[in-house]
Structures are given as C-alpha cells and as structure tokens.
Amino acid sequence: MRSVTYAQAIRTALREEMKADEKVILFGEDVGQYGGVYGATTGLQREFGEDRVRDTPISEMAIAGMAVGAALAGFRPVAEIMYCDFLTHASDAVVNNAAKWRYMSGGQFRLPIVFRSPAGGGAGYAAQHSQNLEAWFTHIPGLKVVMPGLPRDARGLLRAAIRDDNPVVFLEHKAHYTFKGEIPAESEVIPLGVAKIQRPGKDATLVSWSRTLTYCLDAAEKLSEDGIDVEVLDPLTLQPLDIDAICESVARTGNLIIAHEAVVFGGLGAEIATQVTGRLWGSLKKPPLRIGAPFVPVPYSEPMELFVVPQVDRIVTEVKQYLGG
C-alpha cells in the first residue's frame, strides 16, 4: 500500500487505463500542459502526447459533444468538465445524446464515455461553482453515476468507468483533491454498482458518499466515544444503486440515516429512504433521517458556507438526536 492524494489516485487510474488501451483519450479545459485545474492530469500530455491529451476551448457543450462523437468513432474518451455546475451547459450532449444512443439504436452503438467533473462546496467558490448535482444525473436512464469519497475507491472506480461501454458521470469533490488515503501497489479495478461498508456498526446505518463520507467516518468515531456504534455504508456508485446492500445493513441495525452535501429536498437521500422503507416497513425502529444542505444556493461567505454544508459536528449532533442519545 502507498499513501496518495485523491488527485494522485485519479491520475494513477487515468495513466493505467491509457497504458492499457490506446483508444483511451483525454480532453477538456487546461487538462494538457497545465495538468488540470486541480492537477489530476499533470504530466499525462507529456507522457502520452497531444493527440491523446488535448486542451479544448472554453465550451462545455463542445467538450461533451466531442466526447459523443469520439465514442461513436470507437474511442474511449474521458472528458473533463472543469466544474460540475457547467455540466448544465453540456447537458444536451450528456442527457439527450450520450444517454440515449445505445437505447435508441437497439444496442447498435456503444458510448464508452466518462464525464469527469469536480463537484461540491467548501472551497469558497460560491453559488455557481459549488453545487452537487448527482441527483439530477441519477434520474436519467442510460447514465451511470459514480461519486467516490476515498482515493482507493476513486482509482478503482475510475478504471471501471473507463472500461464500461456506457456513459458514466464521474463526480469528484473539488475540496477533496488533497485528501490522502492508501491505495494498493498492485492493479485494482472496483466494479460499478457494488456498495462497500467503510465502517461496521450495530446501532444505525449511515449511508453517505463523496467528501461527506469522510465526515461521517469522523463522526462515527466521535459517536463511538459516547457508546453509539454506527455502520457507515458507501454506495460508491449512485446509479445503479446497490439498494440490496443498503437494505441488508439496515435490516441488521434497524435505523437508517442518509447524509449528503446536496440539498435535502429532492436529493438522492429521499430515493434511498423511500426504497428502504418500502422493503423494510415494520422492521425499521423509526422513520429514516436525512442530513443535507438547506434549500439555498451555496453562500460565498465562509461562515455561511460552513453552516450550509453539513460538517462533522452537525452530523454527530443530528445522529445523537435521532437515536435519542
């Protein structure tokens, strides 16, 4: 095992897949000579050349459209959209083309595309550069959505996403690129659609992903000091969602808490709570709890941003109140 940052884990996955398959190409704003706004593609243009690692104009619509065309031509493009917020500009190519072609052609066309994009708040970038839009994309049939929180999972899942024959929206947390964790020295591909228990426990199941997952792991340690033993489950892939694994955990603990950074209203937590309640009605000790952001844009003010984005102490407090501790 070796310790790397989240950005290094992403770069490792890209390098491994580019070495394994010459059809894997990268493009996006500043991904070449500059190495990406967060350094996730540093050195890859020098190693693989400008034909395979290309800088693009500042046009998310053009980047996403280029990815669709390249995939139809037989490549495995990895397109970086500099901020998740700008996937809204690219959404016609992502939602109306990439997600639909395989279905509408009766399986004649494959679109093995990865749309990488940094999401989330915590960096002081305010309302137009801090959103979490995972729930939007999980609602689109034809797309897979991945949102890993730990470097090891980011590396293994990105490799699987690049190998997948379907378009994958791969969301990374922009305030998390310097977060460190261990990855194995040997090659590792983590299958999409399989959840992982990141911390076992018996009193409640705490489902979370992306950076909030690491906050939940910290919160679980604090709660253990008060005798509360929380199981932290990471779906890893949000679409397709491993609801069976979530239900198996909740069936053991009897309590379900979902924590995410996106706003609570219409968030993925509502879908998880509904599916678990439907399957385990009568086994739950109380209604599920959702922890997330209030229904406001992410503020620029640092104190206000910290208030809006769920933090470790807030997760601890809400879990204690929920469990009556």
Side-chain angles (χ1 to χ4, degrees):
M1 302 290 281
R2 59 190 176 100
S3 180
V4 301
T5 65
Y6 193 95
Q8 289 171 326
I10 294 292
R11 186 162 61 248
T12 298
L14 293 171
R15 177 179 289 115
E16 289 173 330
E17 290 306 301
M18 293 188 78
K19 283 184 174 179
D21 186 350
E22 64 180 11
K23 294 293 187 182
V24 178
I25 56 175
L26 315 183
F27 47 84
E29 299 163 17
D30 291 332
V31 302
Q33 185 175 5
Y34 187 65
V37 67
Y38 296 105
T41 56
T42 300
L44 296 180
Q45 187 182 70
R46 185 168 57 251
E47 183 173 353
F48 295 100
E50 294 185 9
D51 284 346
R52 296 184 66 191
V53 182
R54 291 175 180 250
D55 288 315
T56 66
I58 303 175
S59 173
E60 287 76 17
M61 188 181 296
I63 295 168
M66 181 176 164
V68 172
L72 289 171
F75 291 93
R76 290 188 175 273
V78 180
E80 178 175 316
I81 304 297
M82 191 178 285
Y83 291 97
C84 164
D85 314 74
F86 303 152
L87 277 167
T88 55
H89 293 281
S91 61
D92 183 57
V94 176
V95 173
N96 288 329
N97 288 283
K100 303 295 191 295
W101 270 85
R102 190 168 188 178
Y103 174 79
M104 293 176 69
S105 70
Q108 296 181 74
F109 297 116
R110 299 178 305 159
L111 282 99
I113 308 170
V114 176
F115 297 101
R116 288 185 49 242
S117 194
Y125 292 169
Q128 296 169 314
H129 295 71
S130 303
Q131 296 174 87
N132 288 279
L133 302 179
E134 67 268 27
W136 285 24
F137 294 103
T138 59
H139 190 69
I140 305 299
L143 293 180
K144 295 185 178 181
V145 182
V146 182
M147 207 167 181
L150 302 179
R152 178 174 185 170
D153 299 325
R155 175 206 185 187
L157 289 164
L158 181 54
R159 296 192 68 185
I162 293 171
R163 296 180 182 196
D164 201 284
D165 282 339
N166 299 284
V168 179
V169 177
F170 196 93
L171 299 173
E172 304 154 12
H173 199 290
K174 70 173 64 67
H176 210 48
Y177 281 111
T178 57
F179 181 86
K180 282 194 168 184
E182 291 190 331
I183 64 173
E186 63 272 15
S187 176
E188 181 177 55
V189 178
I190 298 175
L192 304 184
V194 181
K196 180 189 291 185
I197 293 174
Q198 301 284 12
R199 182 191 189 281
K202 60 180 176 56
D203 294 328
T205 299
L206 179 52
V207 179
S208 190
W209 51 89
S210 191
R211 188 175 66 156
T212 308
L213 168 78
T214 62
Y215 288 177
C216 286
L217 290 170
D218 291 342
E221 292 306 310
K222 286 192 173 186
L223 289 163
S224 70
E225 296 171 3
D226 293 324
I228 300 172
D229 188 17
V230 172
E231 180 155 291
V232 180
L233 187 147
D234 182 355
L236 295 177
T237 306
L238 305 181
Q239 180 62 264
L241 181 68
D242 189 356
I243 194 66
D244 289 342
I246 296 173
C247 285
E248 287 172 9
S249 174
V250 177
R252 291 194 302 273
T253 65
N255 291 303
L256 171 62
I257 305 160
I258 309 108
H260 55 61
E261 190 175 303
V263 294
V264 171
F265 186 92
L268 192 62
E271 177 65 28
I272 294 172
T274 299
Q275 291 204 31
V276 171
T277 302
R279 290 198 191 188
L280 299 179
W281 183 257
S283 299
L284 288 169
K285 296 175 182 175
K286 55 182 66 177
L289 169 68
R290 291 180 289 154
I291 301 172
F295 197 63
V296 295
V298 176
Y300 175 67
S301 160
E302 184 176 353
M304 289 300 294
E305 184 179 34
L306 290 173
F307 174 77
V308 167
V309 175
Q311 304 293 311
V312 175
D313 288 345
R314 180 181 153 197
I315 295 170
V316 169
T317 299
E318 293 204 25
V319 171
K320 279 185 176 179
Q321 290 174 346
Y322 174 73
L323 294 175

